[in-house]
Amino acid sequence: MKLKKFFVVMLVVAFVLTSVIGVVTGFGASSSKKLPYVKLTWYVIGTPQKDWDLINQKVNEYIKPKLNAEIKMTMFDWGEYNDKMQTKIAAGEPFDICFTAIWTNNYRTNVAKGAFLPLNKPGNDLLSKYAPKTKKLLGDDFIKGASINGILYAIPANKEKAHNWGFIVRMDLVKKYKLDDMFKKVKKLEDLEPYLKIIKQKEPGVYPLGAYAGESPRFLLDWDKVVDDDVPVSLYPNNKSTKIVNELEQPNTKALFKTVRKYYLAGYIRKDAASVTDWMSDLKAGKVFVMPQSLKPGKDAEMSISTGYQWKQIDITPPVMSTRECIGSMQAINAKSKNPERALMFLELFNTDKYLNNLVNFGIEGQHYVFKDKAKGIIAPGPKAKDYSPGLGWMFGNQFINYIYENEDPNKWKNFEEYNKKALPLLSLGFNFDDSKVKTQVAACKNVWKQYIPMLETGSIDPDKYIPVAIDKFKKAGVDIIIKEAQKQYDEFLKKTGRKK
């Protein structure tokens, strides 16, 4: 009798363990049957695609047998995403997954609000339970760099782990007017002038220089932002100083804004550039000759694919590895999600399953793309490529399992690895400012930023007149108080990490 009870107990234990393993892994038709059916929601940023709903349908056909779940994918345009997400979060909407970064749907701000689910909290390490492969492929250093006070609140995209800044240049116009020498001669913003002049004279329907609010030559200064993108509290990006400064007070900022103003007055920049949010539409319409961009190996090929025009890049700044890379492209789970475990299981599948990842990135084989070399994952646009070509591999999860277009370098992912290795790691890598003591000042500075910086960075107003006005407004908003608090925290960070001062 005792032996019979023992076997019954062991069978129950085995059943429970099997169920737990099935829930944790969640992948495979047999385990999905043990999971209750759920419907997830996922919000992302980008240019809406005609066949988006078709791809969403295919995604659900693929994930339902594996996760017993379906997902509603929604893409908001570049100019509206941040406002849409802030409204949803403020309203307490129980969505599941959303794109977040330092530059939109702000990661740090949302964490401070309690909007995002902690993923590796001691005693409740959801990342290890439900996304162990994703955790491994990101690595401890990248996870630490994206963590706030030691806790990760969103999953970074596994991509290049460094950045540099420069320009992309329209190659059809370069060839048309024999401007090839610019790729040797352009070392800084000022060097563009003779080429912009030619385009202005000969291509009246083209803006010689793409400069827009939030996407302008300002980024060539590559400030290491300490707070947020729209607060002028920064470090110089070269490890030569650990002093945090107001970037508007620095001579290089004034010099750059003066050059941009000169170009604006010459008619090289769109007159209403300060109010334009969808700059990608201008690129796709063939209205831009040169555009400042955050670069990496093969960025020009990616832009060629996503815009329909051939581009070539000019690297200006050296590559550096900053906290920005860690929190520049992430997927967060809503703290109010009703199914956070399943949402994390979906992200694990998305980051590790080549078919699912490439379905979202490139669409359906034979329609949106065709294989040129299936074994090597090399593809070309398909007959319906215009209906689905989001060009957002840097946002959508693990880029190292992405297909490569035939016009891209077949060694693209190897080049990424080498690029990551040669980049200068900034002393601030992994530093995330806690603004809890200066929230009022940060909010006030953001309002000042909206008032002046879009106009200054596009050349729409005179920097000699308005930089002093902006500096005064920032000081009244409390920027010096923010700098003092940031310096205190940064000094403590440097001491704690053992990095040089």
Side-chain angles (χ1 to χ4, degrees):
M1 192 68 173
K2 288 182 179 179
L3 190 61
K4 184 177 180 181
K5 286 183 178 180
F6 172 77
F7 281 121
V8 169
V9 170
M10 290 306 293
L11 283 170
V12 171
V13 170
F15 174 78
V16 171
L17 285 174
T18 303
S19 299
V20 170
I21 291 169
V23 170
V24 171
T25 59
F27 306 142
S30 59
S31 62
S32 72
K33 291 177 182 177
K34 299 180 179 70
L35 297 167
Y37 169 79
V38 300
K39 191 157 188 175
L40 306 171
T41 51
W42 184 17
Y43 295 116
V44 296
I45 189 171
T47 302
Q49 304 291 303
K50 183 178 179 181
D51 280 356
W52 183 258
D53 289 341
L54 173 62
I55 301 306
N56 197 161
Q57 177 187 332
K58 293 294 182 182
V59 166
N60 285 329
E61 289 173 5
Y62 187 72
I63 70 170
K64 191 171 182 182
K66 298 176 179 296
L67 302 176
N68 200 20
E70 292 184 275
I71 191 162
K72 172 63 176 175
M73 299 160 47
T74 301
M75 178 176 280
F76 294 126
D77 214 340
W78 301 97
E80 64 176 359
Y81 182 78
N82 185 69
D83 290 343
K84 290 270 191 183
M85 291 313 305
Q86 292 310 296
T87 300
K88 290 179 180 296
I89 289 169
E93 182 179 319
F95 64 87
D96 298 292
I97 307 168
C98 69
F99 177 76
T100 181
I102 191 173
W103 50 272
T104 189
N105 193 26
N106 191 279
Y107 174 61
R108 291 169 177 159
T109 302
N110 282 316
V111 169
K113 290 178 182 176
F116 294 158
L117 186 75
L119 301 179
N120 59 348
K121 199 172 180 179
N124 190 24
D125 188 350
L126 300 173
L127 191 67
S128 295
K129 287 180 182 178
Y130 301 105
K133 294 177 182 177
T134 298
K135 179 180 178 180
K136 184 177 180 180
L137 67 87
L138 289 174
D140 289 340
D141 289 341
F142 210 46
I143 289 174
K144 286 177 183 176
S147 296
I148 295 178
N149 296 324
I151 305 296
L152 185 70
Y153 292 86
I155 295 178
N158 190 37
K159 56 186 184 63
E160 80 282 357
K161 296 179 180 177
H163 78 272
N164 68 300
W165 285 89
F167 302 106
I168 55 170
V169 187
R170 276 262 305 277
M171 286 306 295
D172 59 328
L173 297 179
V174 167
K175 292 172 183 175
K176 184 176 180 179
Y177 299 112
K178 298 180 172 56
L179 306 178
D180 298 82
D181 64 332
M182 69 184 299
F183 295 103
K184 291 182 180 179
K185 292 185 177 180
V186 174
K187 306 294 182 184
K188 55 185 184 298
L189 179 62
E190 290 78 3
D191 296 337
L192 284 176
E193 188 169 14
Y195 307 100
L196 301 179
K197 187 176 182 180
I198 291 171
I199 299 301
K200 170 67 176 174
Q201 291 172 345
K202 300 192 175 186
E203 292 286 336
V206 173
Y207 306 119
L209 177 63
Y212 303 89
E215 199 75 23
S216 75
R218 167 173 63 88
F219 289 96
L220 296 170
L221 299 173
D222 201 17
W223 287 107
D224 183 12
K225 291 288 201 172
V226 174
V227 184
D228 288 328
D229 274 10
D230 52 355
V231 178
V233 178
S234 307
L235 288 155
Y236 274 91
N238 52 19
N239 286 345
K240 290 181 181 178
S241 172
T242 59
K243 183 181 178 181
I244 295 171
V245 299
N246 179 346
E247 63 198 61
L248 279 182
E249 296 179 331
Q250 307 311 304
N252 59 342
T253 298
K254 184 173 182 179
L256 183 135
F257 283 163
K258 288 185 76 168
T259 300
V260 177
R261 175 63 173 171
K262 178 183 178 182
Y263 288 170
Y264 180 87
L265 293 175
Y268 302 154
I269 295 171
R270 182 170 167 166
K271 291 301 179 185
D272 61 346
S275 62
V276 175
T277 55
D278 184 13
W279 52 269
M280 182 63 84
S281 292
D282 279 355
L283 268 64
K284 289 184 174 181
K287 292 182 178 180
V288 176
F289 172 57
V290 175
M291 180 83 179
Q293 286 281 281
S294 176
L295 300 178
K296 59 186 177 182
K299 178 62 177 281
D300 45 7
E302 289 183 6
M303 293 301 290
S304 299
I305 294 161
S306 62
T307 65
Y309 287 88
Q310 186 185 358
W311 301 86
K312 185 175 180 180
Q313 67 192 58
I314 301 175
D315 296 88
I316 300 295
T317 69
V320 296
M321 187 179 297
S322 70
T323 303
R324 186 182 185 90
E325 278 67 65
C326 301
I327 61 175
S329 177
M330 316 175 80
Q331 306 295 337
I333 295 175
N334 186 2
K336 296 184 181 294
S337 169
K338 295 178 181 178
N339 298 286
E341 295 88 357
R342 203 77 61 89
L344 194 49
M345 288 162 64
F346 169 78
L347 291 175
E348 168 84 332
L349 186 65
F350 185 73
N351 277 313
T352 56
D353 187 293
K354 195 165 187 174
Y355 171 80
L356 177 61
N357 184 287
N358 286 295
L359 173 62
V360 175
N361 272 298
F362 301 106
I364 300 168
E365 181 188 353
Q367 295 186 36
H368 306 109
Y369 72 89
V370 293
F371 276 112
K372 289 295 183 179
D373 187 328
K374 195 164 187 175
K376 295 181 179 179
I378 297 175
I379 62 173
K384 292 186 65 183
K386 288 185 178 180
D387 294 338
Y388 193 85
S389 182
L392 296 170
W394 54 269
M395 181 182 74
F396 282 133
N398 179 12
Q399 277 211 276
F400 291 87
I401 57 174
N402 285 176
Y403 298 145
I404 296 174
Y405 277 103
E406 61 179 341
N407 66 335
E408 295 185 280
D409 189 332
N411 295 315
K412 180 176 180 177
W413 305 128
K414 183 181 178 181
N415 294 341
F416 267 35
E417 291 173 358
E418 292 175 355
Y419 180 73
N420 290 341
K421 288 177 183 177
K422 74 177 183 180
L424 172 70
L426 297 183
L427 293 175
S428 61
L429 182 63
F431 175 65
N432 281 293
F433 176 61
D434 178 2
D435 71 353
S436 58
K437 294 182 179 179
V438 289
K439 282 184 179 296
T440 301
Q441 292 83 358
V442 168
C445 283
K446 286 173 180 275
N447 287 331
V448 176
W449 183 282
K450 288 179 186 177
Q451 187 177 358
Y452 292 100
I453 302 305
M455 303 288 281
L456 285 167
E457 70 180 326
T458 56
S460 305
I461 55 177
D462 182 0
D464 285 331
K465 181 179 179 180
Y466 285 99
I467 286 180
V469 174
I471 289 172
D472 181 62
K473 294 283 188 180
F474 275 117
K475 286 186 179 297
K476 289 177 179 175
V479 71
D480 291 333
I481 297 171
I482 300 172
I483 290 173
K484 185 177 179 181
E485 176 62 24
Q487 190 70 62
K488 177 185 174 184
Q489 292 184 29
Y490 186 51
D491 289 343
E492 291 171 354
F493 170 83
L494 291 172
K495 184 177 180 181
K496 184 178 179 180
T497 56
R499 297 173 185 174
K500 291 181 181 180
K501 270 208 71 179

